[in-house]
């Protein structure tokens, strides 16, 4: 060993390590390079920093053994100048890289990264770089690696599949987003794309970008002799490790709006675009704009302080542990995370009012807090100094093996070596300085995020439940106070905060016992109880949604309990505030993001969409007519989809009848249909495909009994035979049923409409039209009500059928063709066939009765046409219809039935006479 190298080694923090490092480099030294001692002598400090690096970082020694030419490269003054910066770093990469051919291993990039990390480590141990400069340069290296890998894979994948017509962005999160990476950081990222769509009929944007993300992650995780890139961490994405790799911007927006938590707000405060395709920056801007109210809300409950403090407590208990609490410089007592939490908490509380505060980097944000006087100047300086000190310690720990460690060694010799590397004369002086910083940080953390513990909660008032004892037991199951429950303190605390909110919603529903039982079953089946409680507390609208749904519908409750995550999927997919039409549902059916067999996907899709419609209904986002229109559009899309999947588009025409034809479908309805065509067999296959049940249910129940000759007739009838039947044998009620006929799919839709209207108008000219329809209605009332006329709101006197018969009779006489009852009444009034006042009253009455029907059918997803006979059942219907008391509801119900009887007597001149009498 040359005297110079020995002398340098003995002046280093660990002479033995430094000597070993120099020895290994000498053994690997190429003959075509100048002598090692000559090269080391060219370093600006005579080689002291290099010896220090070998003493502090065996992995750096390994790199220099693999790449001895890096030593003369490091000796060049311009390589470690303080003003080197990203521009010169990039120039170095471009000079060393070979871009002619696509290289899946990215060897040139790995070599460049390895050398730059050596340079940064050298400057770090020599004390030539401030913390801010080190973190910025480390971040730039990571950015360049992500950008190169992303760009190359985009080009490679696009050659085979084509390029999507929407943008893609890689969002840097955490320290990567804040441009404050440490020496062995994971790089936290989220993959985002613009709009859903297709590159090819069988290849969606989501599939392309998922493949791209997989290639990027695979490249970064691959081992290679040239050295590693970075570890990519995707756990900050929505749903964490279980969530999809990529999401559209709309999906992101809906997730955070419905389920975003406080820690996710804090994480998104550091998000920024580092690379992508096309307009990635614009996509990132749009993302930030949409989520601005979530990241920096205008109104923040002070409970957020408790949540953040509780999160820090959980980190200390569950991740750090008592033994390492004082040695973990990142997550432990007075560590880096406490500085970050103080900073981010104040940003969260004040960021909406002060855009100046919306900084991603911790040091920059602290300076902004000081300038706005939101943190005392002395406290700010304390946190700035502590942050720089702790990050320096963290870097020195990680430089040793490029391992993601943040914990000080317990062994005295290792701790002494670390102290010496940091410039301390003794281990004790280092420990004293560390304690000074961490105690000061903890004091500020306690001052900002402290607070007295909440007192004992008041006893729960469960007196409004039918079974208070069972209700109290259910709450005990929720908060872990039941015998045998093994819940952590955090979960119990969250449950205690959740219980009064849950009680408040249960007081407002019709069946609180049922809703509470379903809620507890949902919690049990969901799992991740603490995380779910946090979500419900952070998003009270989700709690409202669950309670209302469990009260309103047993059938939808069963769906959710069988698959608890479905309610998240529906809410996160968005659209709870918007109606969907046939085209929207067809687009959803075409996506098949679960890659199921087409008919099984149709069943799953239909069930999920009915749940979405039900949620819109119970949350008040949809009117009754919205619900009817969406249920009808969903059914129509399913019919079209199934007919296409079976290859039957040209085989027959599907005609919707009844509520399906009138776009008035609701919960629990069959699809009344008629098939126009010659192939009975394919019509039967279509019905079987629609009605076959699996674990996902059926696509839709179908009823074809309105065809000529009813159940005894052919399932599919040619159009000529259909018209001939009405010429020869059809009864008036069959022609009246055509009022609600509407072609849905198939080849002869226009021809059917023309023929149906000809038939319908001919029957409408009959002299006995009104008398026959009135007689038919009277007979139905007589035969079907069966002594329950008051309860029967459909076929009883003054019920829904009377409104429909009245409307249809006047439509047929006046030739006003409109399948929807409400639109038909509007058209009749506009044509002055009936008085406008009569039409308005009948629409009001019909809406009221339809609402009752919808509430009852929604519960079991089955046909219901009578009120419950018992008081409890009637009270539940009253509350779900918006009435405070059963008596008020029944009074309105009687008045509605009387109003229908008065306004909708089926006589040709009755409406006009009543109008003239007014």
């Amino acid at each position: 060993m040359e005297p110079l190298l020995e002398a340098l080694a003995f002046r280093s923090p660990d002479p033995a390590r430094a000597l070993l490092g120099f020895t290994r480099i000498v053994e690997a030294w190429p003959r075509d390079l100048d002598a090692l001692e000559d090269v080391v002598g060219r370093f600006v400090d005579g080689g002291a920093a290099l010896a220090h690096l070998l003493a502090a970082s065996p992995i750096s020694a390994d790199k220099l053994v693999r790449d001895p030419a890096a030593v003369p490269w490091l000796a060049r003054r311009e390589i470690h100048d303080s003003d080197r910066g990203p521009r010169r770093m990039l120039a170095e990469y471009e000079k060393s890289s070979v871009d002619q051919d696509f290289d899946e291993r990215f060897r040139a990039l790995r070599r460049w990264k390895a050398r730059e990390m050596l340079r940064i480590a050298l400057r770090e141990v020599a004390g030539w770089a401030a913390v801010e400069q080190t973190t910025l340069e480390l971040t730039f290296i990571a950015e360049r690696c992500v950008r190169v890998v992303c760009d190359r894979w985009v080009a490679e994948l696009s050659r085979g599949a084509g390029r999507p017509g929407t943008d893609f962005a890689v969002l840097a999160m955490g320290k990567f987003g804040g441009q404050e990476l440490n020496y062995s950081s994971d790089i936290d990222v989220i993959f985002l794309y613009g709009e859903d769509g297709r590159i090819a009929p069988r290849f969606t944007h989501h599939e392309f970008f998922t493949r791209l993300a997989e290639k990027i992650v695979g490249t970064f995780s691959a081992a290679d002799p040239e050295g590693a890139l970075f570890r990519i961490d995707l756990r900050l994405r929505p749903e964490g490790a279980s969530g999809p790799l990529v999401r559209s911007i709309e999906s992101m927006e809906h997730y955070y709006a419905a389920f975003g938590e406080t820690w996710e707000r804090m994480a998104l405060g550091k998000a920024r675009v580092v690379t992508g395709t096309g307009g990635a920056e614009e996509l990132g801007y749009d993302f930030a704009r949409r989520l601005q109210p979530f990241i920096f809300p205008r109104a923040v409950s002070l409970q957020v302080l408790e949540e953040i403090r509780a999160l820090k407590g959980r980190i200390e208990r569950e991740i750090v542990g008592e033994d390492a609490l004082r040695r973990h410089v990142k997550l432990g007592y007075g560590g880096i995370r406490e500085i970050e939490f103080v900073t981010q908490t104040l940003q969260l509380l004040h960021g909406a009012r002060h855009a100046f505060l919306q900084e991603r980097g911790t040091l920059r944000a602290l300076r902004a807090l000081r300038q706005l006087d939101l943190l005392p100047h002395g406290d700010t300086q304390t946190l700035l100094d502590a942050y720089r000190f702790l990050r320096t310690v963290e870097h020195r720990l990680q430089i040793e093996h490029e391992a993601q460690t943040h914990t000080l060694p317990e062994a005295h010799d290792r701790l002494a070596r670390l102290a010496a590397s940091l410039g301390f004369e003794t281990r004790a002086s280092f420990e004293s300085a560390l304690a000074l910083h961490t105690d000061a940080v903890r004091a500020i953390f306690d001052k900002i995020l402290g607070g007295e513990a909440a007192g004992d909660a008041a006893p729960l008032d469960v007196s409004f439940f039918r079974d208070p004892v069972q209700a109290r037991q259910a709450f005990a199951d929720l908060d872990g106070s039941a015998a045998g429950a093994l819940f952590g303190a955090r979960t119990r605390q969250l449950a205690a905060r959740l219980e009064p909110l849950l009680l408040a919603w249960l007081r407002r529903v019709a069946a609180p016992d049922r809703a509470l039982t379903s809620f507890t079953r949902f919690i049990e089946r969901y799992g991740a109880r603490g995380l779910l409680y946090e979500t419900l507390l952070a998003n009270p609208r989700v709690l409202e949604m669950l309670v209302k749904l469990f009260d309103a519908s047993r059938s939808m409750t069963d769906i959710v309990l069988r698959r608890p995550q479905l309610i998240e999927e529906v809410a996160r997919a968005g659209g709870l505030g918007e109606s969907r039409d046939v085209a929207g549902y067809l687009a959803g059916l075409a996506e098949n993001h679960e890659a199921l067999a087409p008919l099984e996907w149709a069943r799953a899709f239909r069930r999920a969409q009915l749940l979405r419609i039900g949620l819109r209904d119970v949350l008040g986002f949809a009117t009754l007519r919205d619900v009817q229109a969406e249920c009808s559009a969903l059914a129509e899309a399913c019919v079209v989809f199934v007919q296409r999947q079976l290859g039957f588009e040209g085989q027959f025409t599907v005609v919707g009848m009844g509520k399906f034809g009138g776009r008035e479908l609701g919960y629990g309805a069959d699809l009344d249909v008629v098939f126009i065509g010659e192939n009975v067999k394919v019509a039967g296959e279509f019905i079987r495909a629609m009605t076959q049940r699996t674990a996902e249910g059926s696509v839709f129940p179908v009823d074809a009994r309105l065809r000529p000759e009813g159940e005894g007739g052919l399932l599919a009838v040619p159009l000529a035979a259909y018209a001939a039947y009405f010429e020869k044998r059809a009864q008036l009620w069959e022609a009246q049923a055509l009022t609600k006929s509407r072609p849905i799919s198939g080849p002869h839709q226009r021809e059917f409409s023309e023929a149906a209207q000809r038939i319908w108008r001919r029957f409408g000219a009959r002299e006995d039209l009104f008398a026959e329809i009135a007689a038919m209605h009277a007979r139905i009332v007589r035969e079907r009500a069966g002594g329950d006329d008051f309860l029967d709101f459909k076929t009883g006197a003054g019920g829904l059928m009377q409104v429909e018969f009245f409307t249809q009779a006047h439509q047929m006489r006046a030739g006003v063709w409109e399948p929807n009852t409400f639109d038909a009444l509007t058209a009749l009034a506009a044509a002055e066939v009936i008085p406008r006042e009569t039409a308005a009253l009948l629409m009001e009455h019909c809406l009221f009765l339809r609402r009752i029907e919808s509430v009852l059918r929604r519960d079991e997803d089955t046909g219901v046409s009578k009120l419950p006979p018992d008081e409890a059942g009637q009270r539940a219907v009253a509350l779900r219809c918006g009435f405070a008391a059963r008596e008020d509801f029944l009074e309105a119900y009687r008045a509605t039935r009387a109003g229908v009887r008065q306004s909708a007597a089926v006589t040709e001149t009755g409406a006009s006479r009543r109008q003239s009498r007014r």
Side-chain angles (χ1 to χ4, degrees):
M1 178 70 63
E2 292 296 325
L4 171 63
L5 302 183
E6 287 188 0
L8 290 171
F10 279 107
R11 291 202 300 270
S12 74
D14 190 329
R17 264 192 182 178
L19 275 173
L20 177 61
F22 276 130
T23 300
R24 293 177 63 209
I25 295 171
V26 168
E27 291 171 354
W29 196 253
R31 293 182 179 180
D32 59 343
L33 295 179
D34 292 343
L36 177 60
E37 61 271 21
D38 292 338
V39 174
V40 170
R42 296 173 198 159
F43 279 75
V44 293
D45 63 347
L50 180 62
H52 191 159
L53 180 64
L54 295 175
S57 177
I59 196 168
S60 295
D62 292 342
K63 290 180 182 180
L64 292 171
V65 169
R66 285 198 307 269
D67 180 19
V71 179
W73 180 80
L74 286 171
R76 292 159 52 195
R77 180 180 297 274
E78 68 270 17
I79 291 300
H80 46 74
D81 280 350
S82 60
D83 62 348
R84 175 173 170 78
R87 183 181 58 81
R88 291 170 67 183
M89 291 168 68
L90 181 57
E92 193 80 29
Y93 166 71
E94 290 175 344
K95 183 172 64 176
S96 66
S97 64
V98 180
D99 294 325
Q100 286 82 358
D101 299 315
F102 176 68
D103 174 14
E104 288 194 26
R105 291 169 55 190
F106 294 88
R107 285 163 291 191
L109 185 66
R110 294 175 190 275
R111 287 193 294 269
W112 172 78
K113 184 250 184 180
R115 282 200 171 182
E116 289 294 346
M117 295 293 281
L118 276 171
R119 182 187 62 80
I120 293 171
L122 181 73
R123 288 172 51 75
E124 171 75 24
V125 299
W128 294 340
V131 166
E132 294 95 318
Q133 187 176 7
T134 298
T135 56
L136 191 63
E137 290 189 354
L138 289 168
T139 302
F140 175 76
I141 294 172
E143 284 181 23
R144 187 63 193 170
C145 290
V146 173
R147 186 173 296 116
V148 169
V149 172
C150 179
D151 288 350
R152 300 280 178 82
W153 277 118
V154 168
E156 185 70 13
L157 293 175
S158 297
R159 272 196 284 271
R163 184 166 291 202
T166 192
D167 296 320
F168 172 79
V170 180
L171 297 179
M173 306 289 288
K175 287 184 169 63
F176 191 20
Q179 296 181 299
E180 47 195 13
L181 285 182
N182 57 39
Y183 197 80
S184 187
S185 284
D186 290 350
I187 54 174
D188 296 301
V189 300
I190 289 177
F191 297 116
L192 169 71
Y193 65 95
E195 298 177 349
D196 284 311
R198 292 183 176 276
I199 304 173
R202 297 181 180 274
F203 197 39
T204 65
H205 290 170
H206 186 270
E207 290 168 329
F208 178 92
F209 291 126
T210 297
R211 188 173 299 177
L212 172 60
E214 289 170 346
K215 290 294 187 182
I216 294 171
V217 174
T219 298
F220 275 81
S221 63
D224 192 277
E226 296 289 352
L229 290 177
F230 288 85
R231 295 177 300 270
I232 285 186
D233 191 336
L234 300 166
R235 290 174 296 174
L236 289 182
R237 71 187 189 269
E239 299 181 84
S242 63
L245 271 182
V246 299
R247 282 181 182 264
S248 69
I249 190 169
E250 184 178 7
S251 174
M252 288 278 196
E253 182 180 15
H254 289 309
Y255 167 82
Y256 289 115
F259 298 98
E261 300 182 34
T262 295
W263 68 265
E264 288 176 300
R265 280 194 176 104
M266 297 164 70
L268 286 171
K270 291 182 178 290
R272 66 186 176 89
V273 173
V274 293
T275 190
T277 64
E281 290 291 342
E282 290 77 7
L283 178 61
Y285 174 80
D286 191 22
F287 176 78
R289 178 186 58 79
R290 293 191 189 198
L291 291 181
Q292 180 78 0
F294 172 73
I295 302 170
F296 296 108
R298 291 195 174 277
V300 183
S301 168
L302 291 180
Q303 281 188 338
V304 74
L305 303 182
E306 181 184 344
E307 290 180 27
I308 296 171
R309 184 175 182 85
L311 177 59
K312 179 61 170 61
R314 193 170 69 206
I315 289 170
E316 292 180 359
R317 290 191 306 275
E318 299 176 10
I319 299 177
V320 180
E322 185 67 30
D323 292 344
L325 194 58
R326 289 278 186 166
R327 293 187 296 109
H328 203 296
V329 296
K330 178 181 178 182
L331 303 179
Y333 179 94
I336 295 167
R337 184 54 46 87
E338 290 189 13
I339 300 172
E340 292 172 339
F341 274 11
V342 167
T343 308
Q344 291 174 302
T345 298
L346 293 172
Q347 286 180 289
L348 186 61
L349 292 173
H350 304 287
R353 292 186 298 279
H354 302 288
F356 183 56
L357 267 183
Q358 296 175 17
E359 286 281 0
R360 297 184 180 95
T362 303
L363 295 178
R364 293 192 300 273
L366 281 169
R367 295 187 193 103
L369 288 167
R370 178 170 59 191
Q371 286 181 262
L372 292 169
D373 289 325
L374 294 171
L375 191 63
H377 287 214
D379 287 353
T380 305
Q381 193 59 50
T382 296
L383 294 179
L384 288 168
D385 293 343
Y387 185 83
R388 292 190 180 97
F389 176 84
L390 293 170
R391 289 301 302 271
T392 301
V393 174
E394 180 184 53
H395 287 170
R396 203 59 51 91
L397 288 168
Q398 295 180 351
I399 280 172
E400 185 171 12
H401 297 294
E402 283 191 11
Q404 194 181 28
T405 181
H406 312 274
T407 306
L408 299 175
E410 289 187 272
H412 287 184
D413 59 334
R414 293 180 59 201
L415 193 58
R417 182 172 63 232
L418 174 66
S421 177
L422 291 165
F424 289 91
E425 292 187 3
T426 64
R427 173 175 56 84
S429 61
F430 164 68
E431 289 178 319
S432 176
L434 176 68
L436 189 67
H437 283 297
T438 54
D439 286 345
V441 169
R442 176 52 68 98
I444 296 171
F445 179 85
D446 286 340
K447 183 166 61 175
I448 301 297
L449 286 147
E452 297 180 1
D456 293 336
L460 296 174
D461 178 12
V462 294
S463 59
F464 62 92
F465 289 93
R466 291 174 61 187
D467 188 343
V469 174
Q470 182 62 36
R472 198 172 295 281
Q473 179 60 45
F475 277 102
D477 291 339
L478 288 174
D479 64 20
S481 59
L486 300 174
F487 295 168
R490 173 63 173 154
T491 300
R492 292 175 185 270
Q493 181 188 32
L494 291 168
R497 288 172 48 197
L498 184 66
E499 284 173 352
L501 301 176
L502 177 59
L503 266 177
W505 279 115
L506 289 168
R507 283 181 179 277
R508 305 180 194 184
V509 300
D513 297 74
R514 182 174 99 182
L516 177 58
T517 299
S518 297
F519 185 83
T520 56
R521 290 173 65 198
F522 174 78
I523 296 294
E524 290 166 1
R525 297 187 183 195
Y526 183 90
R529 188 179 294 247
L531 180 61
L532 180 58
Y533 288 169
E534 286 181 338
T535 299
L536 296 176
L537 285 165
N539 300 276
R541 199 68 197 264
V542 179
L543 177 63
E544 173 194 356
M545 177 174 69
L546 287 171
V547 173
K548 286 185 173 181
L549 182 71
F550 295 151
D551 171 70
S553 176
R554 285 188 177 91
S555 62
M556 293 184 193
T557 296
D558 289 343
I559 291 172
V560 171
L561 292 181
R562 282 198 301 271
R563 186 176 165 186
Q565 281 70 30
L566 182 60
I567 199 161
E568 290 183 45
E569 293 172 18
V570 169
R572 290 175 182 173
L576 286 181
E578 300 174 357
S579 294
R580 289 187 182 168
D581 57 13
V582 176
Y585 285 124
L586 281 172
L589 283 164
E591 286 180 1
N592 194 358
H593 57 76
E594 295 186 21
L596 298 173
L599 293 181
E600 189 68 359
W601 166 242
R603 297 180 186 105
F605 180 81
R606 180 243 184 180
R607 186 169 68 171
Q609 293 308 310
L610 283 178
L611 177 60
R612 186 190 67 85
I613 293 169
L615 290 173
R616 279 172 43 75
D617 185 9
V618 300
L619 290 173
F621 290 158
T623 66
L624 175 62
R625 294 204 65 185
D626 290 335
V627 170
Q628 292 179 338
E630 287 207 67
C631 286
S632 302
L634 175 61
E636 183 172 340
C638 286
V639 166
V640 171
F641 179 79
V642 171
Q643 196 175 13
R644 288 175 181 173
Q645 291 299 318
L646 296 175
F648 292 166
E649 289 178 279
Q651 298 288 314
F652 56 83
T653 301
V654 180
V655 179
M657 305 290 288
K659 289 179 179 175
F660 186 25
R663 295 188 176 90
E664 299 168 316
L665 279 182
Y667 307 107
D670 294 348
L671 306 186
D672 290 312
V673 297
V674 167
F675 300 113
I676 302 299
E678 298 182 356
N679 195 329
V680 173
K681 181 180 177 181
V682 295
E685 290 180 21
F686 173 80
I687 289 181
R688 282 191 291 276
M690 290 288 291
T691 58
Q692 182 181 7
R693 296 189 66 83
T694 68
E696 296 287 352
S698 65
V699 180
F700 257 105
V702 174
D703 188 340
R705 290 177 295 175
L706 286 178
R707 65 186 184 270
E709 309 291 359
E711 291 183 87
L714 292 174
L715 194 56
V717 182
L719 184 56
Y722 190 83
Y725 171 79
F726 276 91
E727 289 288 342
K728 299 174 182 177
R729 297 190 302 282
Q731 300 179 49
L732 174 61
W733 71 266
E734 292 175 287
Q736 183 184 345
L738 288 175
T739 309
K740 289 188 171 293
S741 64
R742 179 172 61 91
I744 302 298
S745 64
H748 302 299
Q749 297 181 49
R750 180 179 58 80
E751 294 89 339
F752 173 83
S753 290
E754 291 172 353
Q757 290 188 49
R758 282 197 305 271
I759 295 165
W760 180 78
R761 293 180 194 282
R762 179 168 59 79
F763 274 87
R766 286 175 48 161
E767 290 187 4
D768 63 350
L769 175 70
F770 281 85
E772 285 296 312
I773 290 178
M776 183 165 38
H777 178 251
R779 185 168 62 253
I780 291 171
V781 170
R782 203 167 48 247
E783 294 174 359
R784 295 190 186 177
D788 290 333
D789 184 77
F790 174 74
L791 299 177
D792 192 333
F793 56 80
K794 180 178 179 181
T795 60
L800 285 166
M801 186 170 287
Q802 186 165 355
V803 177
E804 291 183 347
F805 275 33
F806 171 86
T807 306
Q808 291 163 8
H810 282 284
Q811 282 183 263
M812 293 180 75
R813 175 64 81 218
V816 176
W817 179 268
E818 171 51 63
N820 182 276
T821 300
F822 295 102
D823 293 340
L825 284 167
T826 300
L828 289 171
E832 299 185 351
V833 174
I834 63 174
R836 293 184 184 276
E837 293 83 351
T838 300
L841 283 170
L842 287 177
M843 281 193 277
E844 181 182 338
H845 296 329
C846 190
L847 275 172
F848 181 79
L849 296 176
R850 285 281 187 218
R851 185 62 184 157
I852 295 171
E853 179 185 56
S854 183
V855 162
L856 289 167
R857 290 187 168 209
R858 183 178 64 199
D859 193 10
E860 299 287 359
D861 195 32
T862 189
V864 181
S865 59
K866 293 183 179 180
L867 287 180
D870 59 297
E871 288 190 10
Q874 291 173 7
R875 178 181 174 276
V877 174
L879 289 175
R880 290 172 188 146
C881 286
F883 288 85
R886 166 178 171 268
E887 292 72 21
D888 296 338
F889 165 73
L890 291 179
E891 182 180 347
Y893 177 74
R894 291 189 185 94
T896 296
R897 294 283 296 273
V900 172
R901 287 195 297 270
Q902 180 181 2
S903 300
V906 185
T907 63
E908 188 162 8
T909 58
S912 298
R913 287 175 180 169
R914 282 191 297 276
Q915 178 66 13
S916 64
R917 283 199 295 271
R918 291 193 188 97

